Amino acid sequence: MTASVNGIAVAPDEGEPLELAAVRELLRQRAVVDGLLDPDEADAALVAEAVEELLSREVSTPEPIEDEMRRYYDSHAAEFRSGDLVNVRHILFQVTAAVNVPQIRARAEETLNILLKQPEQFGDLARELSNCPSGENGGILGQLGRGDTVPEFEKVLFRPGRTGVSRDLVPTRFGFHIIAVDQRIPGKVLPFELVRDQIATRLKAVVEARALRQYVNVLAGGAVLEGVDLGATATPLVQ
């Protein structure tokens, strides 16, 4: 699929969405108009530097106010706990370059469906199927805290709610996991003062993303776009 921005062809990097490449070209052209970049400049690092300067000038991202941060803290207290622990088991269906990924996923989903109906089989199936050394011990990983696992895994472990077998497969860079949380041991909510900077960073990122989307939409409204629609672009951040 081909696309262009104001008659300039868009060339995505390998694995890059066409929309993101179009946003980058749109911002590059604006940087040229504003005198921040030579029209013939092809060095990617210099283009990125010029775009960063453009955004710093034209996109306002105000700091969150104290009341706003307090409200966020009050409504997301569960996210600011220290010492949360969970007792966990898992079954890993490992993905490597040599395996058929759809086939591995299908096998994992079949196993998950069995365990949702017959959770007492977890240990036996872990010993039979898991590609993790923990499989020899029925999939037991023991007691885990925040930061002990990869983010995708941790998100499921510390999701508020029920214990037992998670109803969804959890994909990570290691493969597909079936997770069972056997026990949750809650920690304590950290004081606002200790997490204030963290909250400020989160809220500023949200405001920045919204402002960038609006800025790109304005630029796109005045551009001639072919083969690409930037109205639904998830984020205009240039990588």
Side-chain angles (χ1 to χ4, degrees):
M1 183 177 180
T2 60
S4 66
V5 177
N6 294 323
I8 305 297
V10 172
D13 295 333
E14 184 176 355
E16 179 183 42
L18 182 63
E19 291 80 6
L20 190 57
V23 167
R24 186 173 62 248
E25 175 58 27
L26 189 64
L27 294 173
R28 184 197 69 81
Q29 292 181 21
R30 180 66 183 190
V32 170
V33 171
D34 283 10
L36 300 173
L37 186 69
D38 188 283
D40 298 321
E41 182 59 66
D43 184 273
L46 292 178
V47 172
E49 183 178 328
V51 167
E52 286 184 14
E53 175 63 21
L54 171 73
L55 295 177
S56 69
R57 290 185 183 186
E58 301 199 13
V59 179
S60 175
T61 53
E63 296 290 337
I65 61 176
E66 192 78 7
D67 286 349
E68 186 180 8
M69 289 188 287
R70 288 277 184 182
R71 287 195 300 271
Y72 186 91
Y73 173 78
D74 291 339
S75 61
H76 296 78
E79 299 178 17
F80 304 110
R81 304 182 71 95
S82 68
D84 284 346
L85 297 172
V86 286
N87 287 317
V88 184
R89 291 175 292 163
H90 86 141
I91 300 174
L92 170 64
F93 295 82
Q94 189 175 25
V95 171
T96 66
V99 304
N100 182 316
V101 176
Q103 188 176 45
I104 290 294
R105 185 184 187 105
R107 190 178 188 189
E109 288 177 342
E110 180 182 359
T111 304
L112 175 59
N113 288 332
I114 292 172
L115 289 174
L116 289 173
K117 297 175 183 177
Q118 304 174 53
E120 69 277 3
Q121 291 196 38
F122 199 104
D124 291 337
L125 289 175
R127 281 183 280 271
E128 178 186 349
L129 301 173
S130 185
N131 298 120
C132 177
S134 66
E136 297 180 3
N137 196 30
I140 296 174
L141 293 175
Q143 203 169 77
L144 299 177
R146 295 183 186 274
D148 288 342
T149 66
V150 294
E152 313 93 284
F153 202 92
E154 179 175 304
K155 183 178 180 180
V156 175
L157 295 187
F158 294 99
R159 180 188 298 158
R162 63 189 291 273
T163 56
V165 178
S166 173
R167 304 192 68 83
D168 300 305
L169 286 181
V170 180
T172 73
R173 64 177 180 268
F174 303 109
F176 299 104
H177 304 256
I178 297 174
I179 296 176
V181 176
D182 295 325
Q183 182 185 19
R184 298 184 183 277
I185 306 171
K188 296 181 179 180
V189 178
L190 294 170
F192 172 78
E193 289 71 23
L194 289 182
V195 296
R196 184 185 183 283
D197 291 345
Q198 182 182 345
I199 293 172
T201 299
R202 288 190 191 184
L203 294 180
K204 187 173 182 180
V206 171
V207 172
E208 182 179 42
R210 186 183 304 123
L212 285 170
R213 281 196 297 270
Q214 292 171 347
Y215 180 63
V216 167
N217 286 338
V218 170
L219 293 184
V224 178
L225 305 176
E226 295 185 1
V228 63
D229 179 9
L230 298 185
T233 302
T235 174
L237 290 172
V238 179
Q239 304 295 323

